[in-house]
Amino acid sequence: MTVSAVIVAGGRGERAGGSLPKQYQALLGRPVLAWSVAAFEAAGVDQIIVVRAAEHAVLANAALVSSKVTFADGGDSRTASVRAGLAMVEPAATVVLIHDAARPGLTSAMVRTLIGEVNGGKAAAAPALKVPDALLRSDGESQHEIDRQSIVRVQTPQAFRADTLRAAYAAIRPETQFSDDLSVVRAAGVNANLIAGDERLMKITHPQDAAVLEKLMSGDRIIAVGNGVDAHRFGAGNFVTLCGVEIPHDKGLLGHSDADAGWHALVDAILGALGEGDIGAHFPPSDPQWKGANSERFLRHALQLAQQAGARILHVDVTLICERPKIGPHREAMRARTAEVLGLQLSSVSVKATTTERMGFLGREEGLAAQATATLERAP
Ligand code: MG
């Protein structure tokens, strides 16, 4: 079974306000479009096609890092954009989901449920919500109540048997416009199975919608705490680099990179809170390109991973463990550098130091060690 998802992200989104089109604006620290891509990925979808406006190619590339994503150029209408996305769906696909980028509250559970509906024999399935308000048809002076029991609000993603959707699109006239894809297959006589919708799948349409959605989506955010430890051996040299600050010393630190144990421990702490392995997995010591590397690069990489995951670093705390050099005189400079790279306030960054009372390898000044904690807010 091959499952493909098409995300329609071609809109210019003027109504939602802001300097960027809404699908590229940050929602809880992550581009709106990236939330849907992450949900499809987490659900195990095989192919994700993002249909974006050709002039937004750079924005779209910057917003997405998934290797599963391919891009298609959008058309003049939603229907034309879906058609462009469908043309790139793998021939082997048996299930196709079509989703609007402006609905970033998508969960992987919803994706799996919809795929299950189609695999269970339904030709089409979509989430829908009942309407709690009274509905009126209001034409000037006359008002008629509509029976809301028979009304539902249809959301996306909408899931289809691939052959059903392809045949329905092949049968419609090229110039005909449809508001969604259920209406395309309905034109071919196929009714969808409607499943329970999700308020978080609300569509960002107006400027205030993003704030409402952030509240809905942040309800299930967690606080994750990661820790990291690192040590480097002293060798010949006349300075050490710790938390991005060069400190004169009668020794240097040995390491493949600049041997900044403070930031290495901090990178591991951030990766730990993200569940992203350790620094060695991201920057293998066997790779010559990291020889002598400035560890700022590693820290910025960890920050970028956090941002891509929609996580926010709340606080970091680094402890340096050594007899010498004395850390105290350089502590504030280390805090400032770390805060600068991570884009945090000084009050959210702690750097402190301790000795081991001359015990052990640190006490004998064979090397220097660091320990770090990072507190992040992120999706579970
Ligand atoms: Mg290290």
Side-chain angles (χ1 to χ4, degrees):
M1 176 191 78
T2 299
V3 179
S4 298
V6 175
I7 303 178
V8 186
R12 275 132 189 110
E14 284 96 359
R15 269 183 301 171
S19 53
L20 284 172
K22 61 187 170 188
Q23 60 272 38
Y24 303 109
Q25 289 178 18
L27 187 85
L28 293 170
R30 184 190 226 178
V32 163
L33 174 58
W35 284 103
S36 297
V37 170
F40 282 124
E41 271 209 294
V45 166
D46 302 288
Q47 182 195 21
I48 302 169
I49 298 156
V50 173
V51 187
R52 44 94 179 109
E55 69 262 34
H56 295 154
V58 174
L59 275 175
N61 275 327
L64 302 175
V65 286
S66 169
S67 59
K68 283 191 178 171
V69 169
T70 49
F71 293 101
D73 287 342
D76 293 335
S77 64
R78 187 187 185 282
T79 308
S81 290
V82 173
R83 206 189 275 282
L86 262 183
M88 291 182 61
V89 167
E90 284 176 19
T94 52
V95 180
V96 179
L97 298 115
I98 313 284
H99 183 54
D100 294 327
R103 300 182 190 268
L106 180 61
T107 61
S108 57
M110 175 62 81
V111 177
R112 287 194 203 97
T113 302
L114 288 165
I115 294 170
E117 289 287 312
V118 177
N119 284 332
K122 305 289 192 304
L129 289 170
K130 289 189 160 49
V131 180
D133 306 298
L135 293 176
L136 283 185
R137 171 169 287 123
S138 178
D139 310 315
E141 311 222 319
S142 75
Q143 294 179 333
H144 303 280
E145 184 160 5
I146 298 169
D147 176 16
R148 65 184 164 90
Q149 302 306 325
S150 63
I151 304 278
V152 290
R153 292 190 286 140
V154 182
Q155 302 176 312
T156 73
Q158 299 175 351
F160 304 90
R161 277 180 53 147
D163 52 0
T164 302
L165 188 62
R166 283 195 183 102
Y169 264 86
I172 59 174
R173 289 147 62 104
E175 68 277 13
T176 319
Q177 303 301 323
F178 291 85
S179 56
D180 70 351
D181 303 285
L182 290 194
S183 54
V184 176
V185 297
R186 209 161 42 238
V190 176
N191 273 332
N193 196 47
L194 298 178
I195 65 165
D198 184 346
E199 288 293 352
R200 282 183 304 186
L201 275 173
M202 67 179 273
K203 191 172 187 175
I204 300 177
T205 309
H206 301 108
Q208 66 273 22
D209 293 345
V212 173
L213 190 53
E214 281 195 331
K215 285 212 174 70
L216 285 173
M217 288 170 68
S218 62
D220 47 25
R221 307 251 306 163
I222 60 165
I223 297 292
V225 178
N227 78 84
V229 174
D230 194 31
H232 282 269
R233 194 180 283 275
F234 281 125
N238 55 13
F239 72 93
V240 297
T241 304
L242 291 170
C243 295
V245 176
E246 284 190 8
I247 301 171
H249 192 42
D250 54 11
K251 297 170 184 167
L253 284 171
L254 302 180
H256 190 65
S257 65
D258 64 5
D260 186 337
W263 273 0
H264 291 184
L266 181 53
V267 167
D268 262 356
I270 295 168
L271 295 178
L274 294 170
E276 280 283 353
D278 55 41
I279 190 171
H282 291 263
F283 302 99
S286 55
D287 188 336
Q289 69 167 311
W290 310 123
K291 186 161 176 53
N294 184 332
S295 295
E296 181 176 338
R297 180 124 178 231
F298 306 155
L299 192 55
R300 288 197 184 276
H301 174 77
L303 173 65
Q304 194 185 13
L305 284 177
Q307 288 167 341
Q308 284 161 359
R312 204 155 56 93
I313 300 174
L314 300 178
H315 186 265
V316 298
D317 181 22
V318 179
T319 302
L320 300 166
I321 311 167
C322 59
E323 300 292 332
R324 291 187 317 128
K326 288 296 165 209
I327 301 301
H330 308 282
R331 208 176 71 90
E332 285 308 311
M334 294 179 189
R335 279 181 86 194
R337 277 293 289 136
T338 305
E340 184 193 343
V341 173
L342 293 179
L344 293 173
Q345 295 193 342
L346 208 52
S347 58
S348 301
V349 177
S350 159
V351 175
K352 53 200 200 298
T354 188
T355 72
T356 59
E357 299 283 349
R358 302 225 148 263
M359 294 180 288
F361 72 95
L362 297 166
R364 293 189 297 271
E365 296 190 41
E366 293 168 18
L368 172 156
Q371 188 171 311
T373 306
T375 308
L376 273 65
E377 183 214 18
R378 65 168 176 82

